[in-house]
Amino acid sequence: SARSSFEVPRLAATLHVQFALPDDPKLDTFSSGVAEVDAYFRSRQWFNAKKGEASPPTYPLLTEADGDVVGYAVVSFRNSEHPHDGAPTKAKYLMIYVTGVDQRLHGARNPRAPDESFAASIFGVLDGFAKAKDGRGGLCLCVRADNDRAIAFYRKVGFVDDPAGPVQRDAGAPHLTMRKLFASG
């Protein structure tokens, strides 16, 4: 089937971005190494069949237009408390719901951006999405408070812990909100 695609200007040469479609056969073989993440993408829960669209928007990120899948990301813009949880004001954030990097590429450098990993390239693309939106506050995500490896990576790419601290989001471990704030103006 036809597939819409676009490139984020700052990283046009580092990764190719498409809109996910439920008939993408690469979803069935994608492996991030995290069973919960892989199950989310493979189940197509992100695809709203009644509307005929991804909801929230889901994107495969590839090495080339028809290249290998580097990873997937589920994101959307949302007005959220700003600059921290519990704040009385709101700003538009790119909410990162789920991301996964192909397990074969964990820690691997992106040849088109030799100073960064493929994971960092994915977050660079997401940063570009957010910066292209008017009135944006930054990027936001939630991570299990006990996921030290992910938290360290997010900090490395510019996210900071929300000062409100970890909150209970489900029956499992508390989750930490992390944000990458953009300077206003």
Side-chain angles (χ1 to χ4, degrees), residues 107-122:
R109 295 278 177 219
N110 181 347
R112 293 190 172 191
D115 293 336
E116 65 186 27
S117 66
F118 279 109
S121 291
I122 289 173

Side-chain angles (χ1 to χ4, degrees), residues 50-134:
K50 288 180 183 176
K51 291 183 179 180
E53 65 186 20
S55 180
T58 301
Y59 304 93
L61 297 104
L62 302 102
T63 55
E64 304 285 340
D66 292 319
D68 294 329
V69 171
V70 171
Y72 288 89
V74 180
V75 300
S76 70
F77 284 97
R78 181 176 100 192
N79 285 327
S80 186
E81 296 165 321
H82 176 74
H84 56 79
D85 283 348
T89 57
K90 292 191 174 198
K92 191 167 294 288
Y93 279 84
L94 180 68
M95 301 300 295
I96 303 169
Y97 296 106
V98 182
T99 58
V101 177
D102 188 286
Q103 192 170 2
R104 297 173 298 120
L105 300 174
H106 285 190
R109 295 278 177 219
N110 181 347
R112 293 190 172 191
D115 293 336
E116 65 186 27
S117 66
F118 279 109
S121 291
I122 289 173
F123 275 81
V125 167
L126 299 179
D127 193 72
F129 283 3
K131 286 181 176 172
K133 186 80 166 179
D134 290 335

Side-chain angles (χ1 to χ4, degrees), residues 143-168:
V143 59
R144 287 176 53 112
D146 62 357
N147 191 341
D148 295 333
R149 183 174 177 214
I151 291 169
F153 170 75
Y154 298 141
R155 287 178 179 150
K156 184 177 177 181
V157 295
F159 284 79
V160 296
D161 301 14
D162 192 293
V167 296
Q168 198 71 31

